[in-house]
Amino acid sequence: MPSLSKFLAENRALTEKEADWLQHLVGDWNLVSDLLRSDLVLWIQSAEGPRAVAHCRPATGSTVYYEDPVGTLLEADTDSEIPALLEGAEPLCEPATIEREGREATGLLVPVRKDGRTLGVLAAERPVSEGGRSTNEIRQHELGLRVLRMLQSGAFPIEGAPIPPRRGAPRVGDGVVELDGSGVVQWASPNALSAFHRFGIEGDMEGITLAELSTDVLQSRSPVDESLPLVLMGRAAWRSDMQARGGTLSLRAVPLTEKGQRTGAIILVRDVTELRRRERELITKDATIREVHHRVKNNLQTVAALLRMQSRRMKSDEARDALSEAMRRVSTIALVHESLLQGSEEAVHFDEVIDRCLRLAVDAASATVHRAGAPRLTESQVEVRTEKHGRVGSIRAEEATPLALVVTELATNAVEHGLSETGGTLMVRSERIGSHLVINIEDDGEGMGAAKPTGLGTNIALTLVQGQLGGTLTWQDRPEGGTRAVVDVYLDPLTL
């Protein structure tokens, strides 16, 4: 089924601004659905006729739609006001008895308007209640009707209302408080009363300013969000947290207006004490993990520096080369931990690691070469250029370390055995489809010929690819000259 964005994009009668307005409505209409305990269906005019493009079920009541109505065209012989309302007619503003999937229900149609133009029709439909409605349900229904009137006049959703991206957004089922234009509590749902009582506000709240009630229990030493007073008075469509006695309440204000004048507000409240505690634990855990990676990186860099110092003291060329290779491998592992410091998850953006592995391989490979762009130490040095094509993307930290070592070893071998005398280009070509990753490390040097690659670096790369990554490593002669090493692995799924 096409998404709302696709429906709106295909509707040429709507401007981009009007389409954004409908998207904003659908993003916040669960408030209306929960207050009215009704299913909401958004109808817009399409080339074929009125079409349902979005649907919302209430979290506080039963639904009248078992089958999703999105995409449905209004039948031509249906006795409905929707076509007339889409043309700009005034609504009857009275609920009508309808039938939905063999059951009796009541429906209310409200035009969705912006700047005096009708963009669509909102149908609010709920099953017929067999018994009487409670006071709680009646008050919520009245608040829902006030929001519908704002919707009809273009005042809802509230334009430019920034909602902080904090989890634990309160909904109608969590608790509702009704304020008048002065911020005085007119009514509070049982869930809202329970939340405020746990917070330290005792007794009946009606007839008292919510800001006054809250000020008495706020922690004097705790920082207070600067938007909290506006939320408690219902003057701004905002969200804010309030802390006291070790607990945290999340509050959201929805100002109610009539003819452009603020007449009251809806305050949604939710006890998020446990949620905020878990968030703090996650922040602490994340900081601890980052610190561990930081210390491991520093320790590995220290080891690499010690190996470098020791290699300079070696009189034997073989011992000096062995220590230099060990230093390079330790530095490669340090690169992975440094990359883990940059992200918020236990995943490595491996393309950045490849760039640094290539520089490290060329710089440490041989004294007879220098990297393109780096200073030339002697006139006899040859130049090696590096190129990278394709993308690897993010991979798990457990796979990043062996893969980085493999890329560094193969790149170093390509420089030492293929480019150290002639210079040329070292290329890494990556292709990833889902979990399947193929990395080609190529050089345009002399090529292997009949010889097969040997040595410690080759054995390390083979062991890591076959043992830890469960893949294959092969070498080929390039038709245009040079050697190609092909790493073919299947990565584990990345879960964030």
Side-chain angles (χ1 to χ4, degrees):
M1 179 62 63
S3 63
L4 174 62
S5 299
K6 183 171 177 58
F7 280 127
L8 297 179
E10 293 176 349
N11 193 311
R12 300 181 179 234
L14 295 172
T15 66
E16 183 178 352
K17 185 177 180 180
E18 291 170 344
D20 289 343
W21 180 261
L22 293 178
Q23 289 274 22
H24 190 188
L25 167 63
V26 171
D28 200 25
W29 67 350
N30 59 69
L31 168 68
V32 184
S33 178
D34 292 346
L35 286 173
L36 297 175
R37 303 193 178 194
S38 303
D39 286 76
L40 301 183
V41 181
L42 178 62
W43 296 84
I44 65 173
Q45 186 68 46
S46 67
E48 298 84 8
R51 183 186 295 274
V53 296
H55 172 227
C56 177
R57 291 186 174 92
T60 53
S62 59
T63 181
V64 297
Y65 285 98
Y66 290 122
E67 296 291 334
D68 195 335
V70 173
T72 304
L73 281 171
L74 187 68
E75 298 179 4
D77 56 350
T78 303
D79 183 17
S80 175
E81 299 178 48
I82 293 178
L85 291 177
L86 287 172
E87 295 295 330
E90 290 298 321
L92 297 177
C93 297
E94 292 293 335
T97 301
I98 57 177
E99 184 176 310
R100 287 289 177 264
E101 300 181 358
R103 295 174 301 156
E104 188 177 5
T106 59
L108 183 63
L109 298 177
V110 176
V112 179
R113 290 175 177 161
K114 176 62 177 171
D115 297 329
R117 183 168 181 260
T118 301
L119 309 182
V121 172
L122 188 72
E125 303 171 355
R126 58 179 291 167
V128 174
S129 177
E130 296 181 357
R133 293 189 295 176
S134 65
T135 302
N136 185 52
E137 187 176 353
I138 291 173
R139 297 301 293 260
Q140 289 184 8
H141 188 79
E142 291 174 351
L143 291 174
L145 293 179
R146 292 175 69 177
V147 177
L148 282 184
R149 288 195 291 270
M150 292 174 58
L151 175 70
Q152 183 177 340
S153 64
F156 185 87
I158 300 173
E159 192 170 12
I163 304 298
R166 298 286 301 277
R167 286 176 289 181
R171 296 189 59 169
V172 171
D174 298 316
V176 184
V177 177
E178 178 187 354
L179 305 182
D180 65 8
S182 301
V184 177
V185 176
Q186 302 298 300
W187 167 78
S189 70
N191 285 348
L193 288 173
S194 297
F196 280 109
H197 287 170
R198 288 193 298 270
F199 195 70
I201 297 176
E202 301 178 355
D204 192 8
M205 297 174 59
E206 293 186 16
I208 307 175
T209 303
L210 182 60
E212 179 182 343
L213 290 168
S214 302
T215 302
D216 295 338
V217 297
L218 282 174
Q219 295 176 347
S220 59
R221 296 184 180 181
S222 298
V224 177
D225 192 335
E226 60 183 11
S227 64
L228 182 59
L230 296 176
V231 172
L232 292 174
M233 293 297 293
R235 293 180 178 177
W238 210 284
R239 274 184 61 191
S240 183
D241 282 359
M242 184 168 65
Q243 297 180 355
R245 299 189 179 185
T248 305
L249 294 183
S250 179
L251 304 173
R252 180 194 173 188
V254 182
L256 299 174
T257 60
E258 289 184 14
K259 299 180 179 179
Q261 299 297 319
R262 185 170 58 85
T263 59
I266 298 171
I267 306 295
L268 304 180
V269 55
R270 178 184 177 186
D271 188 341
V272 293
T273 303
E274 183 64 18
L275 180 61
R276 294 292 180 259
R277 184 187 67 80
R278 292 180 181 179
E279 287 180 347
R280 288 193 293 270
E281 288 180 353
L282 288 175
I283 292 173
T284 302
K285 179 181 178 182
D286 182 66
T288 302
I289 291 173
R290 286 174 181 271
E291 181 62 23
V292 169
H293 287 309
H294 182 69
R295 294 189 180 187
V296 169
K297 180 207 72 170
N298 288 346
N299 290 339
L300 289 173
Q301 289 178 338
T302 301
V303 172
L306 292 174
L307 290 172
R308 186 183 299 109
M309 292 172 61
Q310 189 67 38
S311 69
R312 292 171 180 169
R313 292 176 175 269
M314 293 292 103
K315 298 180 180 179
S316 167
D317 291 340
E318 184 178 358
R320 187 183 302 109
D321 291 342
L323 288 174
S324 296
E325 288 182 2
M327 179 272 296
R328 186 186 67 244
R329 290 164 186 146
V330 171
S331 298
T332 300
I333 300 174
L335 286 179
V336 175
H337 287 279
E338 187 174 358
S339 297
L340 287 168
L341 283 170
Q342 311 303 321
S344 58
E345 303 90 13
E346 282 294 285
V348 177
H349 300 291
F350 200 71
D351 297 287
E352 299 175 2
V353 176
I354 290 179
D355 289 333
R356 303 182 68 175
C357 287
L358 290 179
R359 292 196 296 268
L360 182 63
V362 176
D363 291 342
S366 173
T368 64
V369 304
H370 84 284
R371 177 167 45 88
R376 185 188 294 270
L377 299 179
T378 65
E379 291 300 324
S380 61
Q381 281 188 313
V382 297
E383 183 177 82
V384 173
R385 298 174 299 278
T386 59
E387 295 181 4
K388 182 167 67 73
H389 305 279
R391 288 181 56 81
V392 177
S394 297
I395 64 175
R396 297 169 64 244
E398 294 85 347
E399 296 167 323
T401 298
L403 193 57
L405 284 169
V406 169
V407 171
T408 304
E409 292 296 337
L410 295 176
T412 303
N413 285 347
V415 175
E416 289 183 342
H417 301 293
L419 303 174
S420 60
E421 295 183 3
T422 62
T425 303
L426 173 65
M427 292 170 286
V428 175
R429 301 182 187 275
S430 307
E431 182 179 357
R432 182 175 180 178
I433 302 176
S435 62
H436 186 206
L437 172 63
V438 177
I439 299 180
N440 297 285
I441 294 92
E442 309 177 12
D443 66 79
D444 56 1
E446 298 177 354
M448 295 185 300
K452 290 187 177 180
T454 58
L456 178 61
T458 299
N459 291 334
I460 289 176
L462 273 171
T463 301
L464 291 173
V465 172
Q466 296 174 356
Q468 293 196 33
L469 298 173
T472 60
L473 173 58
T474 58
W475 283 266
Q476 306 167 359
D477 284 321
R478 298 173 73 231
E480 59 272 32
T483 306
R484 176 187 296 118
V486 182
V487 180
D488 192 325
V489 296
Y490 283 87
L491 304 173
D492 290 335
L494 182 63
T495 56
L496 300 179

